[in-house]
Each structure stands twice: as structure tokens, then as C-alpha cells.
Amino acid sequence: MPMNAIGISLSGIRASSTRLAASAANIASATAPVTPAQPATPTANLPVVYRPVRAEVWSVPEGGVASRLVTTPGQHLIPDPSGRYTDIDAMTVASGIDLTGELVEQLSAKIAFGANLAVLRTASDMQGRLIDRWA
């Protein structure tokens, strides 16, 4: 059975929220320092760097969309001659978060949220008028 307009718009609102949460996490961790791994791990001497996340959104056969957070391999080397975890070339690993791209993602998620909210309001109003007409 196909999903109704309200269900479809709610799934879009949830997907927009997931996109916004991923972007907010990336921005909050953009300048996170490199930290040592836990001593109990076999790679205790290697640094741990924040791995950016993104929202993966796909359409579902019943109508609407679904989403989930996935980590990305967005790490790269940056010069850091005074860093604790630098290599022989005075480079250290960084998270590789593009703040401009994250702001664009947030604006895009905001627009998609607003569009889905408008569909939700319209569908709700139409259902209310239909019920009023039958009453």
C-alpha cells in the first residue's frame, strides 16, 4: 500500500533532520584535536582522528525516503611541525572537514525541511476540509 502525502512529507522531514545532525556533528568536530588511541588497542601509538559523517538518503518503494548516518574516509595530511603525532615529514592527519560544504549542506537541509513541512501542512488542511465536508 502506498504511503500517503503526510507520511511521505514526514519521512522527508526526518531525512532533513538526519542531514542537519550529520553536518552539525562535522562542524562541531572540525577543529577537534588529534588524540591518542586507547592503550588497550593494538594501534596504541597511532592517533585517532574524527571521521566525518554524512546522511545517506534513499527512496523507499512505498513512497517517501529513508536515511542513516555513515562515516566517510575524509582524512588527510596537514603540516604540523610541532604536533605530537607528526610523521618524518612533519605532517599529521586531520579530519578533512570542509566547512563551506557543511554550511551548504545545512542550508540545503533547511530548504528541504521547509518544503516537506509545506507539503505536510497542505495535506493536513486538505484532509481536514475533506472530513468537514463529510461531517
Side-chain angles (χ1 to χ4, degrees), residues 94-107:
S95 64
I97 296 168
D98 174 26
L99 292 177
T100 305
E102 294 300 334
L103 291 175
V104 169
E105 175 65 11
Q106 286 189 359
L107 288 172

Side-chain angles (χ1 to χ4, degrees), residues 50-115:
Y50 174 78
R51 293 184 64 195
V53 295
R54 67 176 175 80
E56 186 176 83
V57 181
W58 65 95
S59 60
V60 292
E62 303 83 32
V65 294
S67 62
R68 69 175 173 217
L69 293 177
V70 293
T71 58
T72 61
Q75 300 173 351
H76 66 278
L77 292 174
I78 59 170
D80 187 15
S82 63
R84 180 175 173 191
Y85 299 104
T86 57
D87 64 7
I88 195 167
D89 298 320
M91 302 292 275
T92 190
V93 67
S95 64
I97 296 168
D98 174 26
L99 292 177
T100 305
E102 294 300 334
L103 291 175
V104 169
E105 175 65 11
Q106 286 189 359
L107 288 172
S108 177
K110 177 186 172 188
I111 291 168
F113 187 92

